[in-house]
Amino acid sequence: ERKEAERFYDEAQARAAAEEAARLGAGAVSDERKPKRESAPRLFDLTTLQREANRRFGFSAKTTLATAQSLYERHKALTYPRTDSSHLPEDYVANAKEVLGALADGHAAGPFAREALDKGMVDRAGKRVFDNAKVSDHFAIVPTGTLPPGLDDVERKVFDLVVRRFVAAFFPLAEFDETVRTTQVGPHAFRTAGKVLVVAGWRAVWGQEAEAEEDREKEGAATLPALGPADGDPARARVLGVEVRQDATKPPASYNEASLLGAMENAGKLVDDEALAEAMKERGLGTPATRAATIEGLLRQKYLERQGKELVPTAK
């Protein structure tokens, strides 16, 4: 188990350490690496699409549902959106190849779609993507191969999310090193945690900017540059500045729409009463089609209000 970064509980001590580190001006850098492999995320069902569109673009669940519905009905560009399945039927392999073929010639993610076809990735996908047991009335939300002209900005963003998720689903694992970098300046150790991407795999399709802001702020989520020969052997770093920060432990963050949808989907897991937990098992609150309306209803009746991206309860 890794030690937490040291904290000072006395300001004078912290300032003395900062001054000493600034005076010494350089430190030796060492990395502790743990290789990690990460498979592509599953295809979108409605809830995961709503959560991703909220995290990435701040769209409400209601907006995303209405947009996906219009891309399905009006533009014929997506499959039926009110689904809770994130898989495709096993006889959909030929369709999937056709859709990739259409995307290859007409979408920004086209080169990746072409690569998936050329390298036979669809035939290797197997149960990760095509699984009859995980498809009930409707299957995952995927592009149909129709590339609609004249989409508005919101439609384009939602369509693009679904396209990239679909293409990425066939790609191989992303490989990275979880890295804890220690810079030893005299007696003081400074710690930086992050990831060094080794093989992009599916992340090349999904794009690094896809990292949601709240994920980026978590310790260890940042992408670190790899150490190279130019950094010296052993590697050295210059101290450009040292900042003393006073902080307090924070209470859990307020829900935003993405995290509330996730909590609704998995609500049964938080119930202590065994009989109730059993009844809630694999159910959660509402269905993918009703959760957006439930949140909007609470906002309309002023039980909740939006403050920036957060949903905050009112006195009512």
Side-chain angles (χ1 to χ4, degrees):
E1 189 60 317
R2 281 206 190 101
K3 286 216 310 280
E4 265 301 289
E6 270 186 79
R7 294 192 168 84
F8 290 99
Y9 292 98
D10 167 17
E11 189 177 349
Q13 252 182 329
R15 296 214 173 274
E19 278 162 24
E20 187 179 2
R23 195 176 64 246
L24 290 167
V29 182
S30 60
D31 277 357
E32 187 187 321
R33 289 199 295 268
K34 267 215 293 239
K36 270 290 268 290
R37 304 171 77 190
E38 183 182 49
S39 57
R42 287 209 292 263
L43 297 169
F44 280 130
D45 60 16
L46 179 59
T47 305
T48 49
L49 176 61
Q50 286 169 319
R51 293 183 67 187
E52 193 61 42
N54 180 256
R55 284 198 345 204
R56 186 100 60 102
F57 308 120
F59 296 166
S60 71
K62 178 186 173 185
T63 298
T64 303
L65 173 56
T67 307
Q69 194 69 29
S70 127
L71 285 163
Y72 161 68
E73 274 174 19
R74 247 188 57 223
H75 299 289
K76 309 279 185 274
L78 296 184
T79 57
Y80 183 73
R82 289 165 187 261
T83 174
D84 60 0
S85 173
S86 49
H87 290 76
L88 295 170
E90 286 159 30
D91 59 8
Y92 207 83
V93 175
N95 284 49
K97 289 180 181 170
E98 241 170 78
V99 172
L100 286 168
L103 295 170
D105 301 326
H107 188 272
F112 296 113
R114 169 72 53 223
E115 189 183 341
L117 285 172
D118 291 349
K119 294 189 176 166
M121 292 178 188
V122 181
D123 295 311
R124 285 201 300 276
K127 295 262 191 218
R128 225 165 40 85
V129 177
F130 305 100
D131 187 348
N132 288 346
K134 305 252 174 79
V135 174
S136 48
D137 307 342
H138 305 286
F139 51 75
I141 306 173
V142 294
T144 58
T146 301
L147 295 163
L151 295 182
D152 67 31
D153 185 51
V154 175
E155 287 171 332
R156 200 174 39 70
K157 282 178 165 153
V158 171
F159 180 61
D160 190 60
L161 267 188
V162 178
V163 166
R164 286 181 186 277
R165 186 76 154 220
F166 172 70
V167 177
F170 299 107
F171 266 68
L173 299 161
E175 297 176 32
F176 51 86
D177 287 336
E178 271 189 349
T179 303
V180 174
R181 182 164 291 174
T182 307
T183 307
Q184 190 72 36
V185 183
H188 306 295
F190 294 86
R191 187 179 94 150
T192 315
K195 295 177 178 151
V196 176
L197 197 62
V198 181
V199 178
W202 64 269
R203 281 197 168 272
V205 190
W206 197 221
Q208 285 302 47
E209 70 286 356
E211 291 304 309
E213 281 151 37
E214 60 258 40
D215 291 352
R216 260 204 300 264
E217 282 160 17
K218 277 199 211 116
E219 197 197 17
T223 304
L224 290 180
L227 293 176
D231 300 310
D233 185 18
R236 310 251 322 145
R238 275 179 312 160
V239 177
L240 294 178
V242 187
E243 179 192 350
V244 176
R245 263 219 316 251
Q246 188 173 9
D247 220 342
T249 52
K250 297 180 183 68
S254 294
Y255 280 120
N256 58 24
E257 213 145 330
S259 59
L260 184 57
L261 284 166
M264 289 171 83
E265 188 175 29
N266 298 312
K269 295 185 179 147
L270 305 173
V271 178
D272 291 334
D273 181 309
E274 273 178 36
L276 290 176
E278 187 55 37
M280 289 284 288
K281 201 165 130 221
E282 290 166 15
R283 277 286 164 274
L285 295 173
T287 67
T290 60
R291 284 179 196 130
T294 304
I295 295 173
E296 291 296 327
L298 289 165
L299 286 161
R300 199 172 49 249
Q301 294 164 36
K302 304 277 187 280
Y303 285 106
L304 300 179
E305 59 187 29
R306 281 200 177 96
Q307 290 180 7
K309 278 188 170 180
E310 295 183 342
L311 295 170
V312 183
T314 64
K316 184 176 179 183

